[in-house]
Amino acid sequence: MEKATWGQAITLESRGIGGRFLFWAGIRAIPTRVYVFPGVILIVGKTMKFNDRRNSQARRRWSATVAPVEVETFESRVLLTTVPNLLTPTGTITTPTAEFTWEAVDNAESYDLWVTSLVSYETLFVQRDIVGTSFTAPEGTLALGEIRVWVQANLTGGGDSPWSPSVDLDVQSAPTLTGPVGVGPNNLTSDNMPTITWDSSLLASRFQLWVTDLTKKAAAEAAAGDEPVDVSLHSTVYTIFNHEPVLDANGDPVLDGDGNPVTQEVRSFQLPADPNPNSSSTDLLQLPLSRYRIWLRAFDDLGSATAWSGALSFDVGPKPQNLAPTAPTFQESPVLLFDAVDGATHYEVYVGKEGMAGPFFRRTVAATSTISEAVRIVQSQAGTPIVDNGNDVTEATEIPLLDANGIEIPYIIPTGRYTFWVRAISDPTDGPKVNGAWSDPANFETLRAPVITGPVLTDGVLTAARPLLEWTIIDGAATYEVLIHKFNSRPPFLNVMSVSNSYKLTENLPRGDYTFWVRPISTRGELGPWSAGYSFTATGGRPVITAPAAGSTILFPEFEWTAVTDDDVVEYEIWVSHVGVDFTFININVTGTSYTGTDPLNDGNYRVWIRAVFADGTFGLWSDPVDFVGGVAATEQQDESDALLASIDINLDVLPKTEKTSAVTRPAKKGVQDPAYDIAPPADDYGLAADEQSTVDTAEVGVEAPNVDLLPESVLSRLAEECVDTAWWEAKADIS
């Protein structure tokens, strides 16, 4: 091997150590790395000597962050002799926290504590300016395995002592379990996939988690009698690897500035369905209702294990789901439904009634299914709903009343609003009793009319051609009857049945004013009450142009309109005619409900129509046209007119008064359940009572088309020719 030669002298500035080091290193033809600790310089792969020339005024701000793979040997020489020697701890640290104490140094005003891992050669922490001669390291700041500790005094008036001789310690402190955190004395959590958390010393290579199901353990011990119990019947051990790579959103390792994977200290864990640590499955274990006890221990890089942590116990009690009924119900004695909970032996049902203190009905029943459960409100021997009193004395209010066949008699609930909750209970013959978490509340009430919730209107106007009618659910309804009346037409306009709480029209709804009602019909054919009437004005699938206003003056083409609310509308076609000049001045398709042109309008009169375009390429009906004036001259003239009007003082009191009349009575306001326009529900024969007949003019409401009378004769002639050849009214100009 080539003989080492002394290299060039190197000077190291070390703010963290408070000194300057001048040394020569004999270096072989291999990479050499230098590490600096208090009073010591390490060079990986070679012995070295150094000359320590201290600057006592330097402040300590430096800490080592690199980690050598190995150190063959080193030699250090400390010039000063008065140092704060470390007193405690010594040997092995087994507690989660460690108190470091040291000798006092005369004239010292504070001390610095430096702790480094001899496993990773990384500085764990440097605590500066400690007043007194002790410091307690918080839990989680030490690292498993061997550590090295130094102390230095900061002297009054400036300067510092040499670092103390290093002391090596072995950290073997057990982790501390901190979760899951539940509620109550038994630490109850409703999460059946709980997250287990803990605190631990740093740099563990892995953890080992022991989980015991205490309910299964009690059952296994009872079944085994005096025989040994197979631990695998009730307990599972999981391996949790520490310092796993941090993954990005794509599942790839995150790299640091040097291209090395960034790792993380693992402090939480959810139980996997497959306990094999090498399994590729990501499924989580769903724990049944039970009581659990867990322990945790850590392993260092050499495979040495800490002691087991203290035990942490918790109850898992999932909430029952999918409670029913959750709506007004046909049932006179409701059957309360909910999903079964894994591990439950019983269920407690609690029903409250609005305006009543305490439970209306409360009963604990045995589990009967692994899928779903049903509990009926039944009558007690006292003639009231059963209410468990929760004590050891059985009263008449807790005993169900039976008929001649020994069947429990249902209790007919009075009119009102009710709320019920359910919780699962594990009460095995052997093992702990576990009360699960209460479910979320479910509200129901005695039968009433449905409430119509859709279609959603815009100022009482419906633009959908085939709207979806919707209403609230009625429990126990087998079907719903839907009745639609159209003003100025013979009722009913539509009368259909729907098995769900919605109905989508299958044909386009013509333009007009409508009211619709709905009522439920039970499985026994009972008719429920009619809903309140829901009134609206239908455009027949036409958009409604909201800008510009009719007769207004604009310089640029800017249009806005209400959306056609059919699901399959993808865009809108805009048609603008420059009256007397260009019938197809603008003809474009746009998405959204607005359009702004970039070029100013020429002077003149204009008319705009808009219609919906559907996903299948078909078109809706054209909107009603809006006439407006465009161009620079028109806007300037409008500005002058506005100024002139503003200068005129008009006395409204001297103007002649005129009477306003209307030949047609229309709804004053449209909307959901609007009392201002309340049409009484229809009778069972679907007709209206005599005093409920509409006063609307019986003449059919006309459907307006573009007013072609405003077009010049030359344009009319051209349109007539196109009608013969291209059937334009069916294509681009279907504005009826």
Side-chain angles (χ1 to χ4, degrees):
M1 179 178 296
E2 180 183 354
K3 182 178 179 180
T5 59
W6 291 107
Q8 181 181 357
I10 301 173
T11 299
L12 292 182
E13 287 283 356
S14 177
R15 294 184 299 275
I17 301 174
R20 170 176 290 182
F21 298 90
L22 181 65
F23 70 94
W24 292 263
I27 303 176
R28 292 191 179 97
I30 59 173
T32 304
R33 304 179 71 179
V34 176
Y35 301 88
V36 182
F37 297 106
V40 176
I41 294 181
L42 309 181
I43 183 166
V44 178
K46 283 301 298 178
T47 301
M48 75 175 184
K49 300 180 180 180
F50 66 87
N51 179 20
D52 183 353
R53 299 194 303 214
R54 286 189 175 274
N55 179 356
S56 62
Q57 299 300 320
R59 300 306 301 164
R60 298 155 299 281
R61 300 188 184 90
W62 182 89
S63 62
T65 58
V66 290
V69 177
E70 61 174 332
V71 177
E72 291 183 357
T73 182
F74 62 87
E75 179 181 337
S76 66
R77 184 170 59 206
V78 179
L79 302 181
L80 301 180
T81 57
T82 303
V83 294
N85 294 309
L86 191 71
L87 299 177
T88 62
T90 60
T92 301
I93 299 174
T94 59
T95 56
T97 63
E99 183 183 27
F100 296 90
T101 64
W102 51 86
E103 295 175 343
V105 172
D106 293 339
N107 205 31
E109 65 179 16
S110 64
Y111 297 88
D112 297 340
L113 177 67
W114 187 311
V115 181
T116 294
S117 169
L118 294 183
V119 176
S120 65
Y121 286 98
E122 293 180 352
T123 298
L124 299 177
F125 67 89
V126 178
Q127 188 68 30
R128 303 292 188 183
D129 301 320
I130 303 169
V131 178
T133 57
S134 67
F135 175 77
T136 299
E139 184 172 2
T141 56
L142 300 180
L144 283 182
E146 289 190 346
I147 62 173
R148 181 162 292 171
V149 183
W150 298 266
V151 183
Q152 181 185 57
N154 303 315
L155 304 178
T156 302
D160 44 58
S161 75
W163 287 97
S164 68
S166 62
V167 174
D168 293 350
L169 304 170
D170 187 17
V171 178
Q172 293 296 329
S173 55
T176 301
L177 287 163
T178 58
V181 177
V183 297
N186 295 319
N187 201 22
L188 171 66
T189 175
S190 62
D191 186 357
N192 63 350
M193 295 181 289
T195 299
I196 298 167
T197 59
W198 62 90
D199 289 329
S200 172
S201 298
L202 303 173
L203 302 181
S205 63
R206 69 183 189 278
F207 299 95
Q208 198 173 64
L209 176 67
W210 184 294
V211 181
T212 294
D213 184 330
L214 295 180
T215 302
K216 290 183 177 179
K217 182 174 184 291
E221 290 174 345
D226 296 332
E227 298 297 322
V229 176
D230 183 357
V231 175
S232 65
L233 294 176
H234 55 73
S235 298
T236 306
V237 177
Y238 299 87
T239 297
I240 307 165
F241 294 110
N242 195 28
H243 282 283
E244 290 293 282
V246 177
L247 304 180
D248 60 19
N250 298 323
D252 299 322
V254 176
L255 305 180
D256 61 17
D258 296 328
N260 300 314
V262 176
T263 60
Q264 58 186 335
E265 289 279 348
V266 177
R267 294 295 182 268
S268 64
F269 184 69
Q270 287 183 284
L271 303 179
D274 186 352
N276 182 353
N278 298 316
S279 173
S280 60
S281 173
T282 59
D283 295 337
L284 296 178
L285 178 65
Q286 299 187 39
L287 296 175
L289 173 66
S290 187
R291 180 165 298 159
Y292 297 87
R293 186 165 295 157
I294 59 176
W295 296 264
L296 186 73
R297 64 178 176 177
F299 290 81
D300 63 20
D301 280 343
L302 301 178
S304 298
T306 68
W308 287 101
S309 68
L312 175 68
S313 298
F314 59 94
D315 288 358
V316 171
K319 296 179 180 181
Q321 302 292 324
N322 296 322
L323 278 63
T326 56
T329 179
F330 272 103
Q331 300 181 75
E332 295 178 332
S333 177
V335 176
L336 310 178
L337 306 174
F338 49 91
D339 290 348
V341 173
D342 186 17
T345 61
H346 297 78
Y347 296 94
E348 183 177 4
V349 180
Y350 185 107
V351 181
K353 184 178 185 296
E354 190 175 63
M356 175 181 175
F360 173 80
F361 172 80
R362 185 171 192 170
R363 191 181 189 190
T364 299
V365 297
T368 61
S369 171
T370 59
I371 300 175
S372 63
E373 295 284 352
V375 177
R376 181 181 290 277
I377 298 178
V378 298
Q379 188 173 169
S380 71
Q381 291 183 356
T384 61
I386 285 181
V387 176
D388 291 340
N389 57 28
N391 56 37
D392 296 330
V393 179
T394 302
E395 301 175 354
T397 55
E398 301 176 276
I399 305 173
L401 183 64
L402 306 180
D403 62 15
N405 297 319
I407 300 175
E408 296 178 348
I409 298 176
Y411 184 85
I412 308 302
I413 63 173
T415 300
R417 294 162 55 89
Y418 298 84
T419 300
F420 82 98
W421 298 262
V422 184
R423 67 174 175 181
I425 298 173
S426 173
D427 191 10
T429 303
D430 299 291
K433 179 180 179 180
V434 177
N435 292 325
W438 286 103
S439 68
D440 294 330
N443 302 315
F444 67 94
E445 57 187 292
T446 48
L447 184 62
R448 64 172 176 83
V451 176
I452 296 173
T453 58
V456 177
L457 309 177
T458 302
D459 296 328
V461 175
L462 174 67
T463 56
R466 299 183 182 184
L468 177 66
L469 313 179
E470 298 177 287
W471 53 90
T472 56
I473 293 175
I474 300 299
D475 179 64
T479 187
Y480 298 88
E481 182 178 4
V482 179
L483 183 64
I484 303 179
H485 284 186
K486 182 178 185 292
F487 284 89
N488 304 329
S489 66
R490 179 174 299 176
F493 174 79
L494 182 67
N495 184 212
V496 294
M497 296 293 182
S498 174
V499 296
S500 68
N501 62 316
S502 65
Y503 176 77
K504 186 172 180 63
L505 271 67
T506 58
E507 300 291 338
N508 289 351
L509 191 67
R511 177 189 295 209
D513 292 321
Y514 296 85
T515 297
F516 92 88
W517 300 263
V518 63
R519 69 174 174 182
I521 302 175
S522 75
T523 54
R524 298 187 298 273
E526 301 166 299
L527 300 177
W530 286 102
S531 69
Y534 189 91
S535 301
F536 57 88
T537 295
T539 66
R542 299 169 173 83
V544 176
I545 298 174
T546 57
S552 62
T553 302
I554 61 176
L555 178 58
F556 286 88
E558 299 182 17
F559 309 112
E560 296 179 3
W561 57 93
T562 58
V564 174
T565 54
D566 292 287
D567 294 337
D568 52 347
V569 173
V570 293
E571 58 185 2
Y572 296 88
E573 181 181 3
I574 303 174
W575 187 302
V576 180
S577 290
H578 189 177
V579 178
V581 179
D582 185 356
F583 185 68
T584 313
F585 179 74
I586 296 176
N587 183 218
I588 58 172
N589 286 25
V590 299
T591 58
T593 56
S594 64
Y595 169 76
T596 300
T598 57
D599 297 327
L601 295 169
N602 298 322
D603 295 343
N605 296 319
Y606 292 84
R607 177 168 296 171
V608 58
W609 300 268
I610 300 173
R611 67 177 175 179
V613 181
F614 298 99
D616 62 359
T618 59
F619 299 92
L621 298 178
W622 287 106
S623 68
D624 291 335
V626 171
D627 294 337
F628 60 94
V629 180
V632 176
T635 55
E636 291 176 348
Q637 181 180 359
Q638 181 66 40
D639 293 339
E640 293 175 358
S641 299
D642 292 341
L644 178 62
L645 290 173
S647 67
I648 300 175
D649 184 12
I650 302 176
N651 186 352
L652 298 179
D653 294 332
V654 301
L655 295 179
K657 299 184 184 297
T658 58
E659 297 293 332
K660 293 183 178 180
T661 60
S662 176
V664 179
T665 302
R666 298 244 182 231
K669 186 179 180 182
K670 312 291 169 57
V672 179
Q673 308 286 320
D674 193 338
Y677 185 61
D678 187 11
I679 301 177
D684 290 347
D685 60 0
Y686 314 126
L688 292 174
D691 59 349
E692 296 171 340
Q693 294 292 334
S694 172
T695 59
V696 182
D697 193 330
T698 57
E700 182 66 21
V701 178
V703 179
E704 299 178 357
N707 186 358
V708 295
D709 294 338
L710 297 178
L711 299 178
E713 183 176 354
S714 59
V715 175
L716 290 175
S717 299
R718 178 169 57 83
L719 292 178
E721 294 174 357
E722 291 177 352
C723 288
V724 176
D725 299 329
T726 62
W728 62 270
W729 63 88
E730 294 181 355
K732 291 292 185 182
D734 180 11
I735 49 183
S736 61

